[in-house]
Amino acid sequence: MNNYVAKHDKLMRHLGMTIEEATREYARVSMPIADEIKNGMGLAHGGAIFSLADVAFGAAANADQVNGVVSLNATIEFLRPGLAGPLRAEARLVRKGAHIQSYNVEVRDANDQLVARCMSTGFQTDVPLPQ
């Protein structure tokens, strides 16, 4: 898949994430629960869960774009611990305006349990994405 985020996002690669699907309306990204992303209690770290949700948003918002979309706002609600991996984030387009896009992102574990939900809003810039 030719996706700007998959090609350029170093944190995504560092955390072992994989973009499985990405269109402007929908993206699915997975991440293993490796030791490097666990908190002191042995659970998926909240920062890693948020990063997964953010990458799913970015993969969708920047899919098939010439100019980049950047985050304006994101809110996340952690609902249960991430125990069974891999974790999977799915971003779905809620609103696409001329400059503002909003996505609902759900993060689920390998048992299809809802781990977190996130609302991400992005701004369509006039800055070309690097090749």
Side-chain angles (χ1 to χ4, degrees):
M1 169 189 343
N2 186 13
N3 182 278
Y4 165 79
V5 174
K7 185 175 179 181
H8 294 282
D9 194 302
K10 293 175 180 76
L11 181 65
M12 184 197 101
R13 288 193 299 276
H14 178 72
L15 295 176
M17 295 179 197
T18 302
I19 297 175
E20 298 172 358
E21 184 177 345
T23 67
R24 193 61 194 244
E25 292 77 30
Y26 173 81
R28 184 177 60 250
V29 181
S30 63
M31 175 179 68
I33 301 180
D35 284 340
E36 295 77 22
I37 72 147
K38 291 181 180 176
N39 63 19
M41 295 171 43
L43 308 170
H45 192 287
I49 293 169
F50 179 80
S51 294
L52 178 62
D54 190 52
V55 167
F57 155 73
N62 286 291
D64 303 317
Q65 292 297 300
V66 173
N67 294 330
V69 174
V70 295
S71 294
L72 279 176
N73 185 47
T75 58
I76 191 163
E77 183 176 25
F78 298 100
L79 301 169
R80 59 179 45 90
L83 297 171
L87 298 177
R88 179 184 76 252
E90 294 180 295
R92 289 180 172 81
L93 181 65
V94 175
R95 178 188 183 278
K96 182 183 179 303
H99 297 284
I100 307 295
Q101 295 95 43
S102 296
Y103 289 81
N104 280 330
V105 184
E106 290 186 349
V107 177
R108 295 184 176 272
D109 68 10
N111 297 321
D112 206 35
Q113 295 291 307
L114 186 60
V115 172
R117 60 183 170 196
C118 181
M119 173 59 86
S120 295
T121 304
F123 178 76
Q124 179 71 59
T125 71
D126 60 358
V127 178
L129 290 172
Q131 300 299 315

